């Protein structure tokens, strides 16, 4: 053979040239090939295998590089082609060199593939079958079997020819599998493997049944005894192809083990088929060896075999899980499958998951505790799988977990201890956090199954359940839920494509809702079990932190529901509500009312105010009409009922039958909500339908109308207007009229209460009622035994009742009483809390803050009511004099606010009230004609008297300064003064509550009345001996109880203060009018001076003011008045006989004057507004008294060193103190009396500098007047040393600027300090 050419030199010259040719690439000369030479070389035994191998390699190269060239040579003579093929087939039997055999196999395959001739294929098959029929040694056919398998794989049509025309060959292949040599078996199985896999498995399906069944049986036997890896792999591969055919699976699973172990000499396939048929009728799959064989493959260390085994198991089970699961379960295959979950192969994991998933359909899987055995392995595998990138593996693993959790019998726990439950929770949370929504949806489904009670460990891991809920909740904001516009554009009637992101989002939301509902159900079940609720086996340290408790879980559920779930579901269902989603949603909302009852009032109010009544009712109408979606209807009705009852429980009716009303409403809602599936627009017609009589208490047309009224009431109470106000108003009026016209029994109290509320709240946008409807409403309200049971604390109810005189006459006082009662209870609760938090604060300051503060909301509503309906004021006034103290006091507070100018009312309001107050005082005076109030008289009179008197004081203080009330003292005013003075004279001295406002009123009347009117008033009071005795008793009690200031016998400081102020007015006016005094009052001057000097730190400021005012008045009349007999003591005047100075100053005395001056200096340093004024005025009167009686003493007093110290302290206290009119007046007094304490420099210069810097425009009229007097003194020659001309000029300039200042408006005449009224005119700074 020449180099590079395929020719035989010795014989080539004899061959016809037609069998030769140059073959190869077109651009080259190619390879010289002679077919005849090749045949000679193959058939010759003298040619070595190396040369034959070289020739075959060349032919192979030609076939690959020059397609069709060899075919053209061979097609010249069919016989040559056949001889060439036969020669190659013969080499398969004669050649032993593996390399040469491989090339023979390759050339044959390429040659036959190129020829593509059925004749050639049949010739090859015939040549293969012929030696098999001659019973030649089987072992030598291994290369032939390998070639046959390769041929079937390369040319699929050969497989079809085999199964149709060469059954004997197939039978020989079956028989060969009984040969003990595993190499032979492996080669034969190679043929079967390629045959069953050819043409997509169609050839295997066309195989005769007998052959197929025999292959199945022999395959099981071979696989059971196989030892070599190649044989095992081929067996496993063929088994995988067979189990994809249902008939083959039946044969494999019904083949008994004894047939598998049959003798190798068994050759008759007919007998085998007969035996198989009989065994299939007699044996069940439980005795099949296949599960054990596959289990053996699972135990192998080769992952490929494990994968094939798992795939075979899955394929078998797919055909009939119910029939074939039991044999695998009984063979403990699930345990070995669970053990394989430790693999890292994604394909193996998916296959094992699939097998186990199919096995879980058989209850035997759970009854034999395979789930308990494998749950830990499954959880570990899931954790690892969720870190992989193959989403199908993750979904399959989660699906398996779901099936196990859902099918596991409740009696057998999967997670008896906490760590197991924690582990599965972590795996599920990892799935929920997956970026793939499909995986997250499966994980949410698993969470739902995990929240079942039978899966909870002991103790229950509430923290883990909370973590699941939060993990799912945190995914919701990320969901790409469709907007309403997107849904409309895509068509609301067209369902979303399951593959779209929106559809996947909705699927996740649905599973998430199911999980949340399962968590709520779990919490409810645990709450009903005391052991689970307490979680007694929780570790001690967890109890301290209370983070793993049922209450924490419930709060988490409520928090997530409120903040995330509600907005998400509403957003998704805005345009196309889904019944299943809404069913879960309303069930979840319903559960919240059971889990955390204490949080529900706020939650229910939030839901109702957010429109959930409308939302639920619209969903019912849209999805539940016509008996559709009954489960959704049940959930909606349950939610609406719970919501309504919770809102109803928040109301606080005064009825004693409250529980009966609650039960009545609950029954009405329970019986009528399910059938209420109409749209809101249909409600008015339902309310106005003239239906027949109510045949049943809680069911029927009338009960439905009642149900509508209650829902409208509760929704509107939270701001959800289901219908327009005018529609509601007219519908309710019509319903009330209809009920009365048809003669029905009275409306249930709860329904009537709701109807009254609806009428009140919707009245503003509705027309006024005329006679007939108004009469109907009045009858309906009168039909209730107790109006308080119909009352709802809402301002609209006040306005509705008071708007119509027919209703106001009957129910006005009642509704006002209830309004004030509710307000009193509210205020008492607030005061209780305030007293706990601020119990150390001063009571007087609290009273001042309450008085100066803004009125509360309820009071403002009453003030608005009085503006619209003035008759309410008289009703309130009547309450003060006729009702019990709490209610009467509340009415008084309202009128106090009204009178104190908080609102702009008519100026003659006081004039309108005075006649009514006079009648009240007269009635009280007549009812209490005894020697002392409270003895033998009604308790109501005793309680109402102080309130009436307080109202008189407030009304007196609220009158404007220039009111006509002060310009006359006749008619009503004088009568009031007369009756109040008589009552004050008859009161017991211990009745401070009444005596204090009486004396305060008398004092203000005297001080505020003009000069031409107050002569009668002072005469009348001085002639009232009872009043004078009363004042004497108060003063005597005060004097006798000093120095023990806290003695129970000592009158309250406010009463003593009023007594001092009233006496000061009586003394002044008696002196002015020279009125007759019938009874004088004794008073100890010594005690008063000692209190001012030594006890001022322990005395109330207002009481000090009253002492100073009384002393001022007495000093103005030189301590000699017919009204008051002033007594003295040795502490003031010294021992007798009195000296000249003491005699002149008697009863004050020289020492007393010095003590009083020192006391006034100390009081001035306190810098209290009224005390400053009272002290300066008293000092002015004292100096005037001393000037008149003893000028030497006056000079001595003003020139004492303390005067300089006092002035220095006051001038060093800042500009505000320096420019106070009382301080300016004090400096003026000292200058007027030639005191050496005042110096021009720096005292007066400091004052002028401040005035020049500030300017005089911002000064009050009183400050300007005090400054004017001071500057006038500066210009005089009283200063030593005298001021310079420059200083005098500065003073003159300031006086000129003050002269151009316009006088300001006068302020209020009366200042209320607690319960004491102080007339500011009494504390105006005197001019000297």
């Amino acid at each position: 053979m020449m180099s590079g050419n395929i020719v035989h030199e010795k014989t080539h010259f004899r061959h016809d040239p037609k069998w030769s040719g140059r073959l190869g690439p077109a651009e080259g000369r190619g390879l010289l090939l002679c077919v005849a030479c090749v045949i000679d070389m193959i058939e010759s035994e003298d040619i070595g295998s190396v040369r034959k191998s070289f020739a075959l390699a060349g032919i192979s190269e030609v076939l690959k590089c020059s397609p069709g060239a060899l075919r053209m040579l061979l097609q010249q003579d069919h016989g040559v082609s056949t001889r060439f093929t036969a020669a190659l087939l013969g080499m398969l039997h004669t050649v032993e060199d593996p390399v040469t055999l491989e090339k023979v196999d390759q050339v044959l395959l390429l040659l036959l593939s190129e020829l593509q001739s059925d004749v050639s294929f049949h010739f090859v098959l015939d040549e293969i079958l012929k030696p098999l029929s001659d019973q030649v040694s089987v072992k030598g056919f291994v290369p032939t079997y390998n070639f046959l398998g390769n041929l079937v794989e390369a040319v699929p049509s050969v497989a079809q020819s085999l199964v149709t025309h060469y059954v004997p060959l197939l039978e020989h292949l079956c028989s060969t599998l009984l040969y003990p040599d595993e190499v032979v078996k492996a080669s034969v199985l190679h043929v079967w493997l390629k045959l069953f896999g050819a043409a997509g498995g169609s050839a295997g399906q066309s195989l005769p049944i007998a052959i197929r069944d025999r292959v199945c049986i022999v395959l099981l036997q071979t696989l059971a005894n196989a030892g070599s890896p190649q044989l095992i792999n081929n067996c496993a591969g063929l088994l995988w192809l067979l189990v994809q055919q249902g008939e083959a699976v039946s044969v494999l699973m019904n083949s008994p083990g004894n047939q598998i172990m049959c003798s190798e000499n068994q050759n008759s396939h007919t007998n085998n088929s007969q035996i198989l048929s009989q065994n299939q009728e007699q044996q069940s799959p439980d005795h099949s060896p296949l599960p054990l064989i596959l289990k053996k493959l699972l135990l192998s260390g080769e992952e490929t075999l494990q994968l094939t085994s798992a795939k075979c198991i899955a394929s078998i089970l797919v055909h009939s899980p119910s029939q074939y699961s039991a044999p695998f379960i009984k063979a403990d295959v699930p345990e070995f499958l669970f053990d394989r979950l430790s693999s890292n192969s994604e394909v193996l994991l998916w296959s094992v998951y699939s097998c186990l998933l199919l096995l879980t359909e058989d209850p035997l899987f759970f009854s034999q505790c395979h789930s308990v055995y494998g749950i830990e392995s499954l959880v570990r595998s899931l954790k690892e799988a969720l870190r992989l990138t193959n989403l199908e593996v993750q979904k399959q693993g989660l699906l398996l977990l779901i099936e196990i959790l859902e099918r596991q019998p409740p009696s057998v726990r999967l997670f008896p201890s906490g760590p197991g439950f924690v582990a599965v929770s972590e795996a599920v949370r990892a799935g929920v956090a997956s970026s793939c929504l499909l995986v997250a949806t499966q994980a949410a489904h698993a969470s739902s199954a995990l929240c079942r009670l039978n899966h909870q460990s002991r103790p229950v891991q509430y923290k883990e359940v909370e973590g699941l809920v939060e993990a799912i909740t945190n995914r919701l904001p990320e969901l790409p839920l469709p907007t309403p516009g997107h849904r409309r554009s895509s068509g609301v009637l067209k369902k979303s494509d399951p593959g779209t992101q929106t559809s996947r989002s909705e699927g996740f939301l649905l599973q998430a809702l199911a999980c949340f509902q399962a968590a709520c159900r779990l919490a409810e079940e645990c709450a009903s079990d005391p052991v689970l609720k307490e979680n007694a086996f929780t570790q001690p340290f967890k109890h301290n932190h209370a983070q793993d408790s049922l209450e924490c879980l419930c709060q988490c559920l409520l928090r997530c529901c409120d903040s995330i779930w509600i907005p998400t579901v509403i957003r998704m269902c805005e345009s196309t509500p889904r019944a299943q989603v809404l069913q879960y949603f309303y069930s979840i909302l319903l559960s919240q009312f059971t889990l955390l009852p204490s949080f529900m009032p706020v939650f229910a109010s939030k839901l109702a105010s957010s429109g959930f009544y409308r939302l639920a009712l619209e969903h019912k109408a849209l999805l539940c009409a016509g008996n559709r979606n009954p489960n959704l209807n049940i959930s909606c009705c349950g939610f609406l009922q719970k919501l309504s009852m919770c809102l109803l429980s928040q109301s606080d009716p005064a009825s004693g039958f409250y529980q009966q009303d609650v039960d009545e409403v609950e029954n009405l809602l329970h019986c009528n909500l399910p059938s209420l599936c109409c749209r809101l627009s249909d409600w008015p017609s339902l309310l106005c339908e003239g239906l027949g009589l109510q045949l049943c208490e809680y069911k029927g047309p009338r009960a439905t109308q009642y149900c509508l009224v209650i829902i409208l009431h509760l929704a509107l109470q939270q701001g959800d207007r289901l219908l327009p106000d005018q529609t509601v108003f007219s519908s309710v009026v019509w319903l009330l009229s209809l009920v009365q016209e048809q003669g029905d029994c009275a409306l249930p109290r709860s329904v009537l209460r709701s109807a009254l509320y609806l009428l009140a709240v919707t009245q503003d946008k509705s027309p006024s009622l005329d006679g007939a409807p108004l009469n109907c409403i009045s009858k309906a309200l009168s039909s209730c035994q107790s109006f308080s049971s119909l009352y709802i604390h809402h301002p609209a109810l006040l306005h509705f009742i008071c708007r119509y005189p027919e209703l106001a006459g009957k129910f006005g006082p009642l509704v006002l009483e209830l309004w004030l009662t509710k307000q009193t209870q509210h205020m008492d609760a607030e005061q209780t809390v305030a007293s706990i938090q601020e119990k150390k604060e001063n009571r007087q300051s609290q009273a001042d803050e309450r008085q100066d503060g803004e009125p509360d909301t309820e009071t403002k509503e009453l003030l608005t009511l009085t503006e619209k309906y003035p008759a309410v004021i008289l009703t309130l006034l009547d309450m003060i004099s006729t009702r019990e103290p709490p209610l009467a006091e509340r009415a008084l507070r309202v009128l106090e606010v009204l009178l104190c100018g908080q609102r702009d009312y008519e100026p003659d309001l006081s004039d309108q009230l005075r006649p009514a107050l006079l009648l009240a005082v007269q009635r009280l005076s007549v009812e209490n004609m005894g020697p002392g109030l409270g003895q033998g008289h009604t308790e109501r009179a005793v309680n109402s008297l102080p309130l009436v008197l307080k109202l008189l004081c407030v009304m007196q203080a609220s009158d404007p300064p220039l009111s006509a009330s002060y310009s006359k003292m006749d008619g009503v005013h004088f009568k009031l003064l007369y009756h109040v003075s008589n009552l004050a004279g008859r009161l017991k001295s211990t009745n401070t509550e009444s005596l204090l406002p009486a004396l305060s009123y008398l004092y203000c009347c005297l001080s505020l009345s003009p000069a031409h009117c107050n002569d009668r008033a002072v005469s009348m009071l001085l002639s009232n001996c009872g009043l004078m005795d009363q004042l004497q008793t108060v003063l005597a009690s005060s004097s006798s109880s000093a120095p023990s200031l806290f003695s129970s016998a000592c009158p309250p400081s406010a009463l003593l203060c009023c007594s001092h102020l009233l006496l000061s007015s009586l003394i002044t006016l008696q002196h002015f009018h020279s009125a007759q005094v019938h009874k004088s009052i004794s008073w100890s001057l010594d005690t008063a001076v000692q209190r001012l000097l030594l006890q001022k730190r322990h005395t109330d400021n207002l009481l000090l003011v009253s002492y100073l005012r009384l002393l001022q008045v007495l000093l103005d009349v030189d301590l000699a008045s017919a009204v008051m007999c002033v007594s003295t003591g040795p502490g003031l005047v010294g021992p007798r006989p009195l000296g000249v100075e003491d005699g002149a100053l008697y009863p004050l005395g020289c020492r007393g004057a010095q003590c009083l001056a020192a006391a006034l200096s100390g009081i001035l340093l306190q810098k209290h507004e009224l005390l400053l004024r009272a002290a300066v005025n008293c000092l002015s009167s004292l100096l005037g008294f001393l000037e008149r009686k003893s000028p030497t003493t006056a000079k001595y007093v003003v020139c004492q060193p303390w005067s300089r110290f006092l002035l220095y302290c006051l001038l060093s206290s800042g500009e505000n103190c320096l420019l106070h009119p009382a301080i300016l007046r004090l400096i003026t007094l000292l200058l007027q009396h030639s005191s050496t304490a005042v110096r021009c420099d720096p005292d007066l210069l400091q004052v002028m500098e401040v005035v020049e810097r500030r300017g005089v425009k911002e000064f009050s009229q009183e400050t300007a007047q005090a400054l004017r007097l001071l500057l006038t003194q500066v210009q005089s020659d009283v200063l030593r040393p005298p001021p310079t001309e420059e200083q005098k000029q500065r003073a003159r300039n300031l006086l000129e600027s003050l002269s151009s200042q316009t006088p300001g408006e006068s302020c209020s005449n009366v200042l209320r300090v607690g319960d004491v009224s102080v007339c500011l005119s009494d504390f105006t700074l005197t001019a000297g």
Side-chain angles (χ1 to χ4, degrees), residues 582-583 586-587 590 620 624 628-642 670 673-674 677:
L582 291 173
Q583 178 189 337
Y586 287 115
S587 297
L590 177 60
K620 274 172 57 68
C624 301
R628 293 178 298 135
N629 300 311
N631 292 331
L632 172 60
N633 195 13
I634 292 173
S635 298
C636 281
C637 293
F639 164 69
L640 287 172
Q641 184 174 341
K642 280 289 186 181
H670 177 73
L673 277 176
C677 295

Side-chain angles (χ1 to χ4, degrees), residues 429-694:
R429 285 202 301 272
V432 171
S434 172
S435 58
C436 175
L437 266 182
L438 295 178
V439 175
T441 302
Q442 291 282 46
H445 192 177
S447 301
S448 177
L450 190 60
C451 287
R452 295 184 179 182
L453 184 61
N454 60 291
H455 292 320
Q456 305 309 307
S457 61
R458 297 296 184 273
V460 180
Q461 304 296 311
Y462 292 117
K463 189 68 176 177
E464 295 301 320
V465 179
E466 183 178 338
L468 288 174
V469 172
E470 289 179 341
I472 293 176
T473 303
N474 292 336
R475 287 300 303 267
L476 294 184
E478 306 170 5
L479 295 181
L481 296 176
T483 60
H486 171 75
R487 288 185 177 272
R488 285 191 293 269
S489 63
S490 60
V492 296
L493 299 178
K494 185 178 179 180
K495 291 186 177 179
S496 300
D497 183 1
T500 63
Q501 190 74 0
T502 299
S503 178
R504 291 175 182 176
S505 300
E506 293 177 354
F508 175 80
L509 178 61
L510 186 62
Q511 286 298 341
L513 282 167
C515 173
F516 200 91
Q517 184 193 30
C520 294
R521 184 170 57 247
L522 172 64
E524 289 176 346
E525 292 172 342
C526 292
S528 62
D529 188 334
V531 176
L532 298 180
K533 183 177 182 180
E534 187 177 350
N535 227 15
F537 299 103
T538 305
Q539 298 177 16
F541 74 90
K542 289 190 176 182
H543 283 300
N544 297 333
H545 294 84
Q547 294 179 350
D548 197 7
S549 64
L550 176 59
E551 184 167 354
C552 285
L553 172 60
C554 295
Q555 291 179 5
C556 170
L557 291 172
L558 180 59
R559 183 176 63 254
C560 294
C561 178
D562 182 35
S563 59
I564 303 295
W565 289 90
I566 290 177
T568 302
V569 174
I570 291 178
R571 181 160 54 98
M572 197 209 78
C573 296
E574 277 182 346
S575 58
T576 55
R578 294 178 57 188
Q580 193 173 5
V581 170
L582 291 173
Q583 178 189 337
Y584 285 132
F585 179 58
Y586 287 115
S587 297
I588 290 169
L589 293 178
L590 177 60
S591 299
Q592 305 310 310
F593 289 91
T594 307
L595 298 178
L596 288 172
S598 60
F599 288 76
M600 285 307 102
V602 176
F603 185 60
S605 298
K606 185 175 182 180
L607 289 176
S609 61
S610 301
F612 266 77
Y613 267 110
R614 178 183 298 275
L615 190 70
L617 291 168
E618 288 178 348
H619 286 155
K620 274 172 57 68
L622 180 64
L623 300 173
C624 301
N627 295 324
R628 293 178 298 135
N629 300 311
N631 292 331
L632 172 60
N633 195 13
I634 292 173
S635 298
C636 281
C637 293
F639 164 69
L640 287 172
Q641 184 174 341
K642 280 289 186 181
L643 177 63
S644 300
M645 300 314 298
C646 185
L647 293 174
L648 190 65
S649 66
Q650 296 179 47
S651 59
D652 189 21
S655 170
F657 302 95
Y658 175 65
Q659 187 58 44
Q660 178 183 350
D661 294 345
V662 171
D663 295 340
E664 186 176 59
V665 172
E666 189 170 12
N667 289 328
L668 277 172
L669 295 174
H670 177 73
C671 294
N672 295 279
L673 277 176
S675 60
L676 190 61
C677 295
C678 59
R679 297 184 179 275
L680 292 174
S681 57
D682 298 330
W683 281 27
S685 59
L686 284 178
L687 286 169
C688 297
E689 284 183 357
L691 305 174
L693 295 176
Q694 185 70 11

Side-chain angles (χ1 to χ4, degrees), residues 336-515:
F336 293 88
L337 288 171
F338 278 121
D339 292 339
R340 296 285 74 77
L341 291 177
S342 59
S343 172
N344 293 325
S345 170
E346 296 180 353
V347 179
L348 180 57
L349 282 177
W350 187 91
S351 300
V352 173
Y353 286 151
S354 301
C355 293
L356 291 170
L357 190 60
L358 292 167
L359 289 172
T360 56
E361 297 183 19
D362 195 322
L364 191 64
F365 179 86
F366 299 96
S367 62
Q368 292 194 356
C369 295
H370 291 294
S371 56
V372 177
Y373 173 85
I375 189 64
E376 186 176 348
S377 300
L378 174 59
V379 171
R380 279 198 305 268
S381 172
L382 260 180
K383 287 183 177 180
E384 296 299 325
L386 289 168
R387 296 190 181 99
L388 303 176
T389 57
N390 193 323
L391 300 179
E392 295 301 322
V393 174
Q394 299 174 6
K395 289 190 289 184
Q396 198 76 350
L398 288 169
L399 185 59
L400 173 60
L401 178 62
I402 292 169
E403 290 299 319
I404 291 177
L405 292 175
E406 290 184 342
R407 295 175 182 269
Q408 179 68 20
S411 58
V412 182
R413 295 190 179 277
L414 291 173
F415 315 104
S417 62
F421 188 86
V422 171
V424 71
S425 300
E426 291 174 352
V428 173
R429 285 202 301 272
V432 171
S434 172
S435 58
C436 175
L437 266 182
L438 295 178
V439 175
T441 302
Q442 291 282 46
H445 192 177
S447 301
S448 177
L450 190 60
C451 287
R452 295 184 179 182
L453 184 61
N454 60 291
H455 292 320
Q456 305 309 307
S457 61
R458 297 296 184 273
V460 180
Q461 304 296 311
Y462 292 117
K463 189 68 176 177
E464 295 301 320
V465 179
E466 183 178 338
L468 288 174
V469 172
E470 289 179 341
I472 293 176
T473 303
N474 292 336
R475 287 300 303 267
L476 294 184
E478 306 170 5
L479 295 181
L481 296 176
T483 60
H486 171 75
R487 288 185 177 272
R488 285 191 293 269
S489 63
S490 60
V492 296
L493 299 178
K494 185 178 179 180
K495 291 186 177 179
S496 300
D497 183 1
T500 63
Q501 190 74 0
T502 299
S503 178
R504 291 175 182 176
S505 300
E506 293 177 354
F508 175 80
L509 178 61
L510 186 62
Q511 286 298 341
L513 282 167
C515 173

Side-chain angles (χ1 to χ4, degrees), residues 1166-1182:
Q1166 294 187 20
K1167 303 171 187 176
H1168 183 275
E1169 178 67 25
L1170 282 180
L1171 277 177
L1172 277 176
R1173 295 173 175 274
V1176 170
N1177 284 341
C1178 186
L1179 180 61
S1180 176
S1181 298
L1182 173 62

